[in-house]
Amino acid sequence: MIAWIVFYYLIGAIPFGYLAGRIRGIDLRQQGSRNIGATNAWRVLGWKWGLSVFILDFLKGFIPVFGALNWLPFLTGDAGGWDFNVLVVLSCFAVILGHTYTCFLGFRGGKGVATTAGVLFALNPVVACVALASWLVVMGISGIVSLASLVAAVVMIAAGWWIYPLCQDGDVSPRYFTSPFSRW
C-alpha cells in the first residue's frame, strides 16, 4: 500500500501549470505571483491556459481519490491489511502534498486549491458544491481569488460538519436541513 501512496503523490506532483508555461515559453515561477498554480497561469498565460491548468489540477485530485474510493478495494481485495478509510485519507494527503511540494520542481509547487477541490468533489460532492457556491459568491463580490478560496475552505468545514450525517446510511431526510441543532 505504500506503493499506492507514492503513486498518488507522483500523480499530484505533475506540475501542469509549469508545463503549460513552458509550452508557451514562460516560466511561471518567474512571472506574476511566481506560483505554478491555476490562478497564476490564468493571469500570466491567459484564461484558456489558466482554465486548462485548473481542470488538469482538479482532475489530478479527483481521479486518484475517486479511484481509491471505488476501485482500490477491487484491485487489492482487502486494502493490503490497511484500514480502508486510512488508505483513502492518506491518498488524499498524498495527492495534495504532491501538488504543493512537487519533487519535480525542488519541492515547490502550487497552493493546492484546484487539487483540493478535486479531492473534495471525489469525497463528498454535496459539500464540494456548497464550498463552490461560496467561492463563486465571494469571487463575484470581491474579485479576489485568495479571499474566495479561504472563505470556501471555512464553508467547506462548516458544511462538512452539518451535511456529513446525510451521507450516513443513505439517510437524506429533510429534517437535517431545518437546523444544524435539530440533530442534538
Side-chain angles (χ1 to χ4, degrees):
M1 291 300 100
I2 302 288
W4 282 105
I5 304 304
V6 171
F7 177 66
Y8 286 175
Y9 169 84
L10 291 173
I11 289 173
I14 300 169
F16 288 117
Y18 174 78
L19 295 173
R22 295 313 274 176
I23 290 170
R24 295 275 319 272
I26 298 171
D27 186 351
L28 286 180
R29 299 173 300 170
Q30 305 301 321
Q31 301 288 324
S33 67
R34 298 176 185 224
N35 188 281
I36 64 162
T39 302
N40 197 39
W42 191 294
R43 289 180 188 139
V44 174
L45 304 175
W47 73 269
K48 290 179 184 177
W49 286 95
L51 183 60
S52 298
V53 170
F54 175 83
I55 291 169
L56 290 169
D57 283 349
F58 177 91
L59 288 174
K60 76 179 177 184
F62 180 83
I63 292 171
V65 174
F66 186 82
L69 288 169
N70 295 289
W71 303 317
L72 200 56
F74 299 109
L75 295 174
T76 62
D78 65 350
W82 288 53
D83 180 289
F84 180 72
N85 292 323
V86 170
L87 191 56
V88 169
V89 169
L90 290 176
S91 299
C92 295
F93 282 129
V95 77
I96 293 168
L97 284 174
H99 177 81
T100 2
Y101 301 102
T102 175
C103 59
F104 301 120
L105 297 174
F107 298 96
R108 296 192 55 160
K111 292 182 181 76
V113 174
T115 304
T116 301
V119 166
L120 181 59
F121 266 92
L123 289 174
N124 192 323
V126 175
V127 171
C129 285
V130 171
L132 174 62
S134 70
W135 188 92
L136 290 170
V137 167
V138 174
M139 183 63 186
I141 292 170
S142 72
I144 302 170
V145 175
S146 58
L147 177 62
S149 299
L150 289 170
V151 169
V154 171
V155 168
M156 173 194 68
I157 293 166
W161 173 80
W162 185 55
I163 293 173
Y164 182 75
L166 296 176
C167 303
Q168 301 301 307
D169 302 322
D171 184 8
V172 189
S173 170
R175 66 187 163 88
Y176 285 111
F177 291 104
T178 58
S179 166
F181 303 106
S182 65
R183 291 178 277 146
W184 295 344

